[in-house]
Amino acid sequence: MRSYSPDLTPPWKRSKPVPEVPAEPDLVVEEVSTGFCGAVIRCEKTAEGLTVTLEDRFGKHRVFPLVERGFMLEGRVVTLVRPAAGGPARPARTASGSVAVPGARARVARAGRIYVEGRHDAELVERVWGDDLRIEGVVVEYLEGIDDLPAIVAEFGPAADARLGVLVDHLVPGSKESRLAGQVTGEDVLVVGHPYIDVWEAVKPSSVGIPAWPAIPRGQDWKTGVCRELGWPENTGAGWQRILASVRSYRDLEPALLGRVEELIDFVTEPGLG
């Protein structure tokens, strides 16, 4: 017969139960052991158990295990738990942050287009805005550089019902890119750009798992130099795939790129255009 052993721990020393709170996206909590405060990005099952990823106001990501009494919510200790599969429905969103349209079919392609400089730019735009672009009927093409931009624009023949948007890398005052942009910008052509040497830099370092993008001296191939400085194999194709795989949504991109792509989509889909 088993003997009964009473709990002799004084009541004031016993741990009190704390609320269990579903780790829903955008819930802002503080991890108790580190003080890291951020919004829930995702909750997932890993080989080490359930984890939650938080993003702070600077865009930094940290992954924490879902342990009992592990977080603070509005000044109270709570236990985060994985959201129930059958919980309250939340509006599904695309990778760009737009509200997803269930069952929406791709629209027939518009006459208008968005051109980007290279294949990596096109793949990044597809990764984040692909769902939105298909619903809007916007096709993105890449140019392999913009040295021939005036001739390319002339051949396209922009018009009120066939607008052209162009995304340019390193569009800063006084640059070759800015001079070319000035030659083609007009009522039916919009050229915008980001300040980064290459679209790689438009991905937040924290998302890639690096402290910062390294500075590469002039005269060196920038992408190869980045791979070398980060200790990656000097294979820029493999390096890009590593970077692209780290992009899950708009949260992984710098605002300087986000705003420009949204501007181009708005330009070529303005109400009243074909």
Side-chain angles (χ1 to χ4, degrees):
M1 182 176 177
R2 296 181 61 184
S3 61
Y4 170 71
S5 298
D7 185 357
L8 300 178
T9 305
W12 61 88
K13 288 188 177 182
R14 296 175 189 169
S15 296
K16 295 181 180 180
V18 299
E20 290 188 350
V21 178
E24 298 281 3
D26 299 325
L27 179 73
V28 177
V29 294
E30 178 183 335
E31 201 277 330
V32 295
S33 63
T34 63
F36 186 90
C37 183
V40 172
I41 301 300
R42 56 186 167 272
C43 182
E44 55 194 345
K45 187 176 182 179
T46 70
E48 290 75 29
L50 293 175
T51 65
V52 63
T53 302
L54 304 182
E55 179 184 60
D56 71 8
R57 63 190 182 94
F58 302 106
K60 183 178 180 180
H61 288 194
R62 291 280 298 275
V63 180
F64 299 101
L66 287 184
V67 297
E68 187 176 359
R69 307 173 66 90
F71 299 87
M72 297 278 290
L73 174 63
E74 298 178 347
R76 297 184 304 156
V77 176
V78 299
T79 297
L80 286 188
V81 295
R82 192 177 191 180
R90 297 172 60 90
R93 294 189 177 274
T94 66
S96 71
S98 302
V99 175
V101 182
R105 295 183 179 181
R107 174 175 170 163
V108 174
R110 294 173 182 265
R113 290 288 187 275
I114 291 178
Y115 286 167
V116 297
E117 279 205 49
R119 181 170 59 85
H120 293 178
D121 306 68
E123 290 176 345
L124 188 60
V125 170
E126 165 62 26
R127 168 75 66 142
V128 176
W129 289 275
D131 290 337
D132 307 63
L133 293 169
R134 280 181 283 279
I135 290 175
E136 294 291 350
V138 178
V139 175
V140 175
E141 301 178 10
Y142 66 91
L143 304 174
E144 292 291 3
I146 63 166
D147 288 347
D148 298 323
L149 186 59
I152 291 170
V153 172
E155 182 180 355
F156 179 83
D161 60 350
R163 283 183 164 184
L164 178 62
V166 184
L167 178 68
V168 177
D169 295 343
H170 200 231
L171 188 62
V172 295
S175 65
K176 173 192 72 175
E177 290 81 3
S178 66
R179 291 192 294 272
L180 289 170
Q183 294 177 36
V184 300
T185 298
E187 185 176 355
D188 299 314
V189 181
L190 176 65
V191 181
V192 299
H194 55 74
Y196 309 112
I197 295 174
D198 189 271
V199 76
W200 287 24
E201 279 192 300
V203 179
K204 292 179 179 179
S206 59
S207 296
V208 184
I210 60 177
W213 289 105
I216 306 302
R218 284 195 169 196
Q220 293 186 26
D221 178 74
W222 188 83
K223 293 176 183 176
T224 302
V226 166
C227 291
R228 182 184 304 121
E229 290 295 320
L230 294 177
W232 298 352
E234 293 183 23
N235 179 329
T236 58
W240 170 242
Q241 291 306 312
R242 181 172 183 165
I243 295 165
L244 186 62
S246 71
V247 177
R248 298 176 179 83
S249 75
Y250 72 97
R251 297 175 184 272
D252 296 307
L253 303 183
E254 298 288 359
L257 175 67
L258 292 173
R260 302 294 74 73
V261 175
E262 296 284 354
E263 187 177 355
L264 289 178
I265 295 174
D266 289 345
F267 179 75
V268 300
T269 61
E270 182 179 330
L273 298 179

